[in-house]
Amino acid sequence: MTALLELSGVSKHFGGMKAVDDVSFTVRQGAICGLIGPNGAGKTTVVNLISGYLKPTTGTIRLAGADVADLRPHRLAAAGVARTYQNLQLFEESTVLENVLIGRHLSFKGRRWQMGRTRRREEAEQHEVARRLIDRVGLTGVIDADVAELSYGMRRRVEIARAMATEPRLLLLDEPTAGMNRTESDEIGELIRSINDEGVTVLLVDHNVRLVTEVCHRVVVLDWGRVLTEAGPTEVWQDQRVKTAYLGTHDRNAVEAPDAGR
Amino acid sequence: MFDWLEPLQLFRLDTALILTLLVVSVHVTFRVGIMSLAPMGFAAVGGYTAALVSTKTELPFAVGLLAATLLAGAIGALFAPPVLRLRGIYMALGSLALAQAIVVLIRISDFTNGPNGIAGIPVEVKTEYLIIALAVAFLVLELGHRSHFGRAAKAVRLDERTAEGLGINVFRVRFVAFTAAGAIAGCAGALEAHRTMVISPDQYGFATLVIVFTYVLVGGNGHWAGPVLLTWGLTILRDLLQVAGGHWEDIVYGVLLVVVLLVAPNGLSDRSLYRGLRRRWRDRGNPPSPKIDEPAEKVASP
Amino acid sequence: MQQTINGLALGSTYALLGVGVTLVWGVLGILNFAHAQILTWGSFAALAALHLGVPVPLAILVGMVAAGVLSVLLDLAVLAPLRARKAPEFSFVVATIGVSLVLTTILRTYTDAQTEAFPRQGFPVGAFEVAGQNVPRLQVVMLAIAIVAMAGLAFWLNRTRSGRAVRAVAHNRETAELLGVNSQLVFSICFFVAGGLAAVAGIFVAASAAQVSYSSGDGLLLVAFAVIILGGMGSVKGAIVGGLVLGVIEVYATSYVSSVFREIIAFATILAVLVARPSGFFGKKEAARV
């Protein structure tokens, strides 16, 4: 299988701080790739780089072979990259349906002036697509509720539905199960798998060991902005370096625990 | 068509209609989250262009009006890239500096007759023209509102970064809005010049801007009809109360604007305002009902 | 030489104006569009005092206190409630513009839109000779008072307890509050100081023009913004330097190029700085958001 996403030698410096330092990894077409690492390891920065919110200081990012490092986020969305946000970026005062419909922006044929029957027909078609997506993430019951009224877990699902509305090739999920209980995160795991079954490649950033082990095909481990290792989802936890780096911040007995304050 | 109105009432009707155009101009920018203080600058461009065309050339009024609209739109398009790159307070400052630059250039230039302004502009504006201009503006606004463009505009206003991530070209949306707003304000300025016969640089100041902002902010961002209906409603009201004209009117507007910002910072058509009211209405007499699904953190706490 | 003194004198009024705006911006993150009106009200308060036969230094003090109190009232009545509601940034802009219209209109109605003569008796007049050049006394006194005021401000901010509280709140409001600083008190102090300094600037402008009107301050608002953008928003030192630089440039440009230049310089500065640094001083905030 071919590589869909390819990072080579990517660095991002903020002033003197190297948030991401010479990171290279590839995500194969059709895979679910985990991206893990302790807090502050640079995971979200990597997601921001891939989705175009940040430009790498050095290095190249390729999507299906084309260099996308200099594209603005809206161009990347058009190229098939969709994402969710670690700290939820939903349109709070809009309904679930409206949020997902905004995600349909790219697939509206007449994006500006349309009237009469054409407009109504397209609007109806798009509503249908949005409804199916909302149904899929299990939110049909609250389709017309304002997002602000929903629970945390439900909002995470709205965000996934909205990202899927852009019909992505690559879906970036930034901590989709943060703050969820075990049942909820298992359901998200199921959802990720079913999205992947349709051929959407997934890059999953999460702290949830169970989820990452059960869902991912490959796991990339970041620490101090660098790639520590890359391995299969079960082997990765055997690696002593991973244990030290990733669990070290939580486990006081770990050898040479890195600074927790970072 | 409007012969049955007394001249004074007709004058006020025209004033209100032209003000409505300015309200539409500001609404268009606010709709996509551009916090611009520039509209009076564009109105000045429009007013002076139309006045100069009709006093210094033999060209008909329609040419002057068209030139005013196009020139104001062109200046909007020209300055959109630098202004739209700014954020927050810097955008407010940059757009204010742009508007002031226009007004001061008019005040110090000889061909605009400096601080004295231009007098003797022929009265060409008929109420019918204003209604046609507004009807066109409303039609375009409604089509935009109903199309997917309206939804994208809302997303840009609420959260441009997220909108960008969903494939919306934020700059293009704002560029279109800023340019259109410039053209509309220019058109309003030209119509105003051809109604009052006299214009001077000093009239394009904060006073009108405050009135327009009051209407737009009170009317809210939801639909163009909010600010427009408010403009007409308040015009009728102040006519009935006979406070029109006079300095106290400015004070009333200033105070009203501040009060509204305090009571309903997002305008009277803000949805969260009504959701709160709805809930209170639903819950009257009953103990507060839980939300559809309480956020996890709240459930966890005793 | 004389031009330089004139420029510095003009610049010192600009600096007094800018320091107040930048202080409020630095501590509260609010740009006060009513600042120019507070200046005008301060000048009128001083004028009223002069009409009552109050000696000049006391009249200046009256103007300062009046403008300071007005400035604090603006904060307490309008801006504090907006802060409490966590209103968006633009609400503060619109609210202060609204207040400025109200203040202007009240003065315009009260003065019947007439320009009032500002008596110069008691202000230093005439000129004295320095190295063969005539230097107007008023300008020198203006410069001296401005220097004293700014030195006092610097002393207050750096050496006193309340000044340190102001800096602590500017740096991080929550932390300062946790450490027991009363932030509303700090805000009021800042608004009072800003209003008082604006009044001094307004009185000098009125005294050198020998007149004052309800719209005297209008043109100075953009000047104040130009000063603080030039000096870096929120920096008191920057505002002083920016004010002096702007004043000197303006005087030189007026006498050597054209008086037209004088009107343009303020917003040309704003536009130039904003275009050169489009992200303004905002870049960090944006990067941190996603």
Side-chain angles (χ1 to χ4, degrees):
Chain A
M1 279 202 273
T2 53
L4 178 66
L5 178 71
E6 226 181 322
L7 276 74
S8 48
V10 172
S11 300
K12 179 68 193 178
H13 302 173
F14 294 111
M17 210 252 302
K18 293 177 178 176
V20 171
D21 188 13
D22 194 23
V23 163
S24 306
F25 66 87
T26 58
V27 180
R28 282 176 311 147
Q29 174 79 49
I32 303 178
C33 178
L35 183 64
I36 63 169
N39 283 326
K43 303 182 298 292
T44 296
T45 309
V46 168
V47 171
N48 283 340
L49 286 164
I50 299 171
S51 53
Y53 282 106
L54 295 173
K55 294 202 187 325
T57 314
T58 57
T60 56
I61 302 172
R62 291 178 182 281
L63 185 73
D67 190 348
V68 294
D70 285 331
L71 295 188
R72 299 284 306 150
H74 68 93
R75 297 282 309 280
L76 273 157
V81 178
R83 66 170 292 183
T84 65
Y85 301 81
Q86 189 179 350
N87 46 347
L88 288 169
Q89 302 282 339
L90 288 161
F91 300 103
E92 296 281 327
E93 303 300 332
S94 304
T95 65
V96 172
L97 181 64
E98 283 166 349
N99 265 277
V100 177
L101 276 172
I102 292 170
R104 296 296 297 161
H105 178 78
L106 288 164
S107 42
F108 266 83
K109 280 180 225 74
R111 255 175 261 162
R112 276 183 208 176
W113 319 117
Q114 278 185 334
M115 34 193 122
R117 204 182 297 157
T118 344
R119 188 189 69 78
R120 277 197 296 273
R121 197 173 55 223
E122 170 149 42
E123 196 69 22
E125 283 167 13
Q126 297 287 8
H127 275 244
E128 191 45 46
V129 175
R131 266 173 222 288
R132 277 205 299 275
L133 283 164
I134 292 165
D135 190 42
R136 222 172 130 192
V137 297
L139 294 178
T140 305
V142 291
I143 190 163
D144 287 320
D146 280 6
V147 167
E149 302 193 19
L150 300 185
S151 74
Y152 197 65
M154 286 171 143
R155 291 193 217 181
R156 289 256 175 233
R157 289 157 182 271
V158 177
E159 224 184 21
I160 294 175
R162 190 182 65 182
M164 287 303 293
T166 67
E167 298 176 9
R169 283 195 281 179
L170 175 65
L171 179 63
L172 310 170
L173 298 172
D174 198 352
E175 302 201 14
T177 68
M180 285 188 181
N181 63 32
R182 191 168 165 151
T183 328
E184 284 177 311
S185 66
D186 282 352
E187 284 168 14
I188 294 288
E190 275 309 305
L191 182 60
I192 295 172
R193 239 183 249 143
S194 85
I195 286 169
N196 181 247
D197 285 343
E198 287 176 11
V200 178
T201 309
V202 178
L203 183 68
L204 171 67
V205 174
D206 216 300
H207 284 301
N208 187 328
V209 174
R210 245 166 59 84
L211 179 77
V212 171
T213 314
E214 285 178 9
V215 171
C216 296
H217 303 135
R218 286 299 275 183
V219 177
V220 176
V221 187
L222 282 186
D223 189 29
W224 294 98
R226 295 175 145 268
V227 175
L228 194 63
T229 184
E230 190 187 332
T234 34
E235 299 93 298
V236 75
W237 307 108
Q238 314 300 320
D239 192 319
Q240 190 55 44
R241 288 173 303 171
V242 176
K243 282 185 188 167
T244 312
Y246 189 71
L247 306 170
T249 50
H250 309 294
D251 182 359
R252 290 181 192 181
N253 300 323
V255 213
E256 294 173 31
D259 232 344
R262 182 157 51 111
Chain B
M1 186 172 163
F2 292 95
D3 298 340
W4 50 275
L5 280 170
E6 289 169 33
L8 184 65
Q9 283 177 327
L10 198 60
F11 182 84
R12 287 190 186 148
L13 175 64
D14 291 350
T15 312
L17 292 177
I18 290 172
L19 202 60
T20 310
L21 266 181
L22 277 178
V23 164
V24 165
S25 162
V26 172
H27 170 76
V28 166
T29 51
F30 279 22
R31 199 61 190 271
V32 296
I34 301 172
M35 298 307 166
S36 163
L37 300 180
M40 296 317 291
F42 293 121
V45 169
Y48 270 85
T49 308
L52 288 171
V53 166
S54 60
T55 52
K56 300 215 168 166
T57 70
E58 299 295 315
L59 293 167
F61 159 66
V63 176
L65 181 64
L66 191 68
T69 309
L70 292 180
L71 187 63
I75 289 179
L78 186 68
F79 283 95
V83 170
L84 296 181
R85 277 200 297 175
L86 303 171
R87 291 288 167 271
I89 198 77
Y90 299 96
M91 184 187 272
L93 274 176
S95 54
L96 179 64
L98 173 64
Q100 289 295 309
I102 292 169
V103 172
V104 169
L105 282 177
I106 288 171
R107 190 182 295 136
I108 61 179
S109 301
D110 286 333
F111 76 98
T112 54
N113 201 22
N116 300 323
I118 298 177
I121 307 163
V123 179
E124 300 274 8
V125 169
K126 293 202 182 79
T127 310
E128 287 87 340
Y129 297 170
L130 297 175
I131 289 174
I132 291 168
L134 274 178
V136 172
F138 291 162
L139 182 71
V140 173
L141 280 173
E142 184 58 24
L143 287 179
H145 178 79
R146 290 193 179 189
S147 79
H148 189 66
F149 194 65
R151 199 148 37 215
K154 186 180 176 189
V156 169
R157 168 167 59 86
L158 293 175
D159 186 344
E160 57 174 299
R161 307 266 300 168
T162 307
E164 236 184 341
L166 294 169
I168 297 168
N169 187 340
V170 172
F171 177 77
R172 198 169 66 188
V173 170
R174 290 198 163 153
F175 180 85
V176 170
F178 194 73
T179 306
I184 296 169
C187 180
L191 291 168
E192 175 75 5
H194 277 284
R195 187 182 63 95
T196 55
M197 299 187 289
V198 186
I199 53 173
S200 78
D202 294 329
Q203 77 192 63
Y204 302 102
F206 272 174
T208 313
L209 194 66
V210 166
I211 294 174
V212 172
F213 274 8
T214 309
Y215 291 148
V216 175
L217 289 173
V218 177
N221 269 321
H223 191 272
W224 56 266
V228 167
L229 290 177
L230 191 83
T231 309
W232 296 347
L234 279 184
T235 304
I236 293 168
L237 189 70
R238 66 190 193 148
D239 225 37
L240 292 176
L241 296 177
Q242 305 199 315
V243 290
H247 296 154
W248 293 107
E249 195 184 359
D250 286 347
I251 297 178
V252 170
Y253 274 109
V255 172
L256 184 66
L257 181 61
V258 171
V259 167
V260 164
L261 284 171
L262 290 175
V263 177
N266 296 314
L268 290 182
S269 66
D270 179 32
R271 211 149 120 185
S272 57
L273 189 70
Y274 292 107
R275 200 177 53 228
L277 289 177
R278 258 204 323 270
R279 195 174 299 142
R280 217 167 287 175
W281 175 251
R282 215 169 43 212
D283 298 345
R284 81 213 116 104
N286 307 322
S289 64
K291 288 184 178 184
I292 291 174
D293 190 346
E294 285 287 337
E297 347 25 301
K298 285 193 186 162
V299 173
S301 62
Chain C
M1 178 67 193
Q2 194 189 329
Q3 296 295 1
T4 312
I5 298 229
N6 284 343
L8 287 176
L10 182 67
S12 62
T13 61
Y14 288 178
L16 286 174
L17 202 56
V19 162
V21 182
T22 214
L23 190 65
V24 169
W25 170 263
V27 175
L28 288 96
I30 293 172
L31 208 51
N32 184 3
F33 282 70
H35 198 71
Q37 266 59 50
I38 286 173
L39 170 152
T40 315
W41 277 62
S43 332
F44 268 95
L47 178 68
L50 287 171
H51 280 321
L52 289 174
V54 174
V56 169
L58 208 56
I60 294 178
L61 204 64
V62 168
M64 287 176 73
V65 171
V69 168
L70 187 64
S71 183
V72 172
L73 281 180
L74 159 71
D75 180 51
L76 291 179
V78 178
L79 303 180
L82 282 176
R83 269 201 302 281
R85 300 177 150 272
K86 298 197 173 24
E89 193 175 31
F90 198 64
S91 297
F92 291 93
V93 174
V94 176
T96 52
I97 289 178
V99 169
S100 90
L101 180 69
V102 172
L103 292 179
T104 307
T105 312
I106 293 174
L107 261 191
R108 189 175 61 190
T109 312
Y110 173 72
T111 62
D112 236 351
Q114 297 299 308
T115 301
E116 312 246 329
F118 198 90
R120 292 172 86 165
Q121 293 89 3
F123 283 94
V125 286
F128 54 83
E129 220 168 272
V130 180
Q133 303 265 353
N134 276 334
V135 178
R137 269 172 215 269
L138 183 62
Q139 310 286 67
V140 176
V141 171
M142 274 164 72
L143 194 52
I145 291 185
I147 290 169
V148 169
M150 284 181 284
L153 187 71
F155 179 82
W156 172 58
L157 281 176
N158 292 312
R159 294 270 184 272
T160 66
R161 208 179 139 78
S162 64
R164 277 198 293 269
V166 169
R167 296 202 307 162
V169 173
H171 189 253
N172 187 327
R173 185 174 153 193
E174 271 111 42
T175 314
E177 279 174 358
L178 283 176
L179 294 172
V181 175
N182 178 348
S183 58
Q184 181 53 54
L185 184 66
V186 166
F187 297 158
S188 293
I189 292 172
C190 288
F191 270 98
F192 188 84
V193 170
L197 293 178
V200 176
I203 293 164
F204 281 152
V205 169
S208 40
Q211 61 177 39
V212 62
S213 83
Y214 72 94
S215 60
S216 292
D218 292 3
L220 291 173
L221 182 67
L222 272 182
V223 170
F225 291 161
V227 165
I228 67 169
I229 280 192
L230 199 61
M233 307 245 311
S235 157
V236 171
K237 271 184 223 145
I240 295 171
V241 175
L244 294 176
V245 167
L246 202 66
V248 172
I249 294 178
E250 206 176 292
V251 167
Y252 274 111
T254 308
S255 49
Y256 295 118
V257 188
S258 153
S259 62
V260 164
F261 202 78
R262 182 181 177 147
E263 304 231 27
I264 299 177
I265 188 134
F267 55 76
T269 307
I270 295 179
L271 287 176
V273 175
L274 288 180
V275 169
R277 288 204 59 178
S279 55
F281 310 88
F282 208 70
K284 280 180 209 155
K285 204 172 169 183
E286 257 204 321
R289 242 212 54 197
V290 174

